Amino acid sequence: MAQFYGGIEGGGSTSNMIIMDSTGQIIGRSYGTGTNPWLIGRDECVNKIKQLSDECRQNAGLSQDQQLQILGMSISGTESQSTQDEIIGKLHDQFPNLSKSYYMCNDTFGSLATGFEAGIVLISGTGSNCLLINSDGSTRNCGGWGHELGDHGSGFWIARKAITTVYYHWDNFELSKHDIGKVEQILKEYFHVDDKNDILPYFYTKFDKGFVAKFCTLLANVANDGDPLACAIFTEAGYLLGRHVAAVSPFIEKPLLEQENGVAILCVGSVWRSWNLLKTGFLQGIHSTSESQELIKGFQLATLTESCAVGAAILAVKNKQEKLPVDCSKNVDIFYKHAF
């Protein structure tokens, strides 16, 4: 009997799912909105997983009665074991025929497994996170604390930095070192700000983290046009992302440090599309500590050419002491190399 394996990539704003057959070929895909349980709640997360699964099975040409062997779920906001246990328990109870078994991890694990067996994954999308995974399975994390406690260098952080810079300037609390004119203009247009109090609902009564983070796209456009304030914000964001790598550098195993082209850093999230704006700050941030200067002699940056839902499926099957025949080297594109 044919067997099928599923994987889900779940972020704060969007999610997607793939189904593979036993040869590792993707036979179906589906797409949906965010599944982070901290943002939408665990019950809604479970419902969205079911919706993704139903659509993916349909697109794969499978009947809705076709049960998956295992479904791997790499979803942001699922770091704690209690969160994983509750969501998996609800899936078994509410949808007993969806999958025989489940595996859950946060989005950083699935991302790295899609492209490399070991290295660093550095996420900068709606939020940010950094995870080192050594070849022996040991890990070290920096970030991933959400917009209230962290998300440094993320799309949300960039957007909020631009907003607070303008508002502090308006209040004469902290005058901007750069002209705020262009950023002020796009802020007013995007958030429909006629009176400065009009920004408040976007952060309180109708807060939508993804919507705020998407303001980063407009900021990138004006930065690419040379606006000094927008450029400065992206440089600072790059520095903060580099600081994440510096923070985990003392825990990188020697073989990863000494491999050709240096430490492999998998860059995940839409903010990395603006690498040209992040580069100067990132190179400063990655060597911002004495330990990182001593240890990191070079690095390579790569992006995924495939959804980290693939990595979720790989990890799920690996957790069962089995293996899917997937060539992960085809899932990455190395876009930058640097030696110090």
Side-chain angles (χ1 to χ4, degrees):
M1 181 182 293
Q3 296 182 338
F4 304 97
Y5 308 86
I8 290 177
E9 171 187 8
S13 303
T14 62
S15 301
N16 67 87
M17 177 173 170
I18 57 97
I19 291 177
M20 291 191 285
D21 60 22
S22 57
T23 69
Q25 295 298 309
I26 297 175
I27 62 170
R29 299 179 186 267
S30 62
Y31 303 90
T33 55
T35 46
N36 185 320
W38 286 108
L39 298 178
I40 64 173
R42 296 177 183 180
D43 287 336
E44 185 62 17
C45 176
V46 169
N47 290 333
K48 287 183 179 291
I49 290 169
K50 178 62 163 59
Q51 292 168 10
L52 283 166
S53 178
D54 288 348
E55 182 180 340
C56 199
R57 277 201 293 261
Q58 180 179 349
N59 294 339
L62 303 177
S63 74
Q64 293 301 316
D65 295 329
Q66 177 67 59
Q67 189 178 43
L68 300 175
Q69 287 296 113
I70 190 167
L71 175 58
M73 300 169 288
S74 179
I75 298 176
S76 64
T78 61
E79 290 81 3
S80 74
Q81 190 63 49
S82 62
T83 298
Q84 296 177 16
D85 291 343
E86 181 176 343
I87 292 173
I88 290 174
K90 288 177 181 291
L91 286 168
H92 277 302
D93 292 341
Q94 297 176 28
F95 312 111
N97 294 322
L98 197 160
S99 181
K100 290 182 180 179
S101 60
Y102 297 91
Y103 173 84
M104 179 169 272
C105 60
N106 75 9
D107 50 342
T108 50
F109 282 88
S111 298
L112 190 62
T114 303
F116 299 103
E117 291 188 3
I120 294 172
V121 57
L122 186 54
I123 294 177
S124 182
T126 302
S128 64
N129 200 356
C130 177
L131 177 70
L132 161 69
I133 303 179
N134 289 314
S135 59
D136 62 2
S138 61
T139 65
R140 186 73 180 189
N141 179 255
C142 177
W145 303 115
H147 64 278
E148 293 285 3
L149 300 177
D151 276 348
H152 295 94
S154 69
F156 182 86
W157 182 93
I158 292 169
R160 184 174 60 184
K161 179 69 175 180
I163 294 166
T164 56
T165 298
V166 171
Y167 270 74
Y168 292 168
H169 188 89
W170 283 349
D171 283 351
N172 200 36
F173 177 72
E174 183 179 344
L175 297 180
S176 173
K177 297 177 182 178
H178 306 283
D179 182 81
I180 67 169
K182 192 61 181 179
V183 173
E184 178 184 33
Q185 177 187 339
I186 62 172
L187 184 157
K188 288 181 177 180
E189 293 172 354
Y190 185 78
F191 292 101
H192 306 289
V193 173
D194 295 317
D195 179 276
K196 66 180 183 180
N197 291 310
D198 291 341
I199 197 72
L200 296 178
Y202 294 97
F203 284 86
Y204 297 98
T205 55
K206 59 175 185 179
F207 176 69
D208 183 339
K209 181 179 178 180
F211 179 80
V212 175
K214 286 178 182 177
F215 181 52
C216 177
T217 302
L218 299 181
L219 291 166
N221 290 339
V222 297
N224 280 316
D225 287 339
D227 181 74
L229 175 56
C231 287
I233 292 171
F234 273 91
T235 297
E236 185 176 355
Y239 176 81
L240 293 171
L241 292 171
R243 282 293 304 272
H244 283 74
V245 179
V248 302
S249 63
F251 308 94
I252 303 174
E253 64 182 358
K254 191 174 182 180
L256 288 182
L257 291 168
E258 296 179 345
Q259 65 185 348
E260 185 179 2
N261 297 322
V263 180
I265 303 173
L266 184 64
C267 303
V268 177
S270 58
V271 174
W272 290 106
R273 296 172 188 165
S274 299
W275 167 244
N276 62 308
L277 302 173
L278 301 169
K279 178 180 175 180
T280 299
F282 186 85
L283 292 176
Q284 295 171 349
I286 199 171
H287 260 194
S288 57
T289 67
S290 58
E291 287 179 303
S292 63
Q293 291 174 21
E294 179 181 350
L295 293 168
I296 300 178
K297 303 303 182 184
F299 64 89
Q300 54 184 318
L301 301 181
T303 54
L304 290 176
T305 57
E306 183 54 88
S307 165
C308 79
V310 172
I314 290 172
L315 290 174
V317 173
K318 185 178 180 180
N319 191 54
K320 292 290 186 181
Q321 308 301 316
E322 300 175 17
K323 188 175 182 179
L324 278 173
V326 178
D327 183 0
C328 291
S329 65
K330 296 181 179 180
N331 296 335
V332 295
D333 174 38
I334 297 174
F335 67 91
Y336 183 76
K337 298 177 182 179
H338 188 86
F340 290 103

